[in-house]
């Protein structure tokens, strides 16, 4: 995983290490990956609904943050509990790449207007965040 980001090292990683302590023992890293994927789908749905009412954008942002947290918590949980597996690594990268592609589709499928500029920026930044992971694997 690409860990050179100041945001990752100083905010996301310490937060995930604290949150993992509250995860019940029966929860596996793959479950967190799937919950994160559901959060990403909800982020895209609410972002799409934002074109009808601007009230959906904050909800979309919330689910985007939840996806980022769950995406980082799954790896942290796997390392902390030594539950890492080849399948888990493939699942995590598959979800990351799929979410990146879906984000790019949503970002380019609708006409460019001021409502989607933030979503397009987020999509491009998230794709840039996952490219180092693909080359690292």
């Amino acid at each position: 995983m690409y860990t050179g980001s100041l945001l990752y090292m100083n905010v996301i990683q310490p937060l995930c290490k604290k949150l993992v302590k509250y995860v019940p023992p029966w929860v596996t890293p793959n479950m967190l990956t799937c919950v994160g994927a559901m959060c990403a789908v909800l982020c895209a749905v609410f972002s799409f609904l934002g074109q009808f009412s601007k009230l959906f954008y904050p909800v979309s942002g919330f689910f985007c943050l939840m996806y980022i947290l769950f995406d980082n918590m799954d790896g942290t949980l796997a390392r902390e509990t030594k539950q890492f597996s080849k399948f888990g690594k493939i699942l995590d990268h598959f979800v990351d790449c799929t979410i990146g592609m879906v984000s790019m589709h949503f970002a380019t499928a609708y006409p460019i207007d001021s409502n989607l500029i933030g979503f397009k920026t987020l999509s491009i930044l998230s794709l840039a965040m996952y490219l180092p992971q693909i080359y690292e694997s």
Side-chain angles (χ1 to χ4, degrees), residues 85-103:
S85 67
K86 194 156 190 90
F87 173 74
K89 185 175 182 179
I90 291 170
L91 177 66
D92 186 48
H93 287 297
F94 172 77
V95 168
D96 291 344
C97 292
T98 303
I99 296 306
M101 287 184 206
V102 169
S103 297

Side-chain angles (χ1 to χ4, degrees), residues 47-57 115:
S47 181
F48 172 76
L49 292 174
Q51 66 183 336
F52 303 111
S53 171
K54 304 238 187 288
L55 297 174
F56 289 114
Y57 287 126
N115 295 336

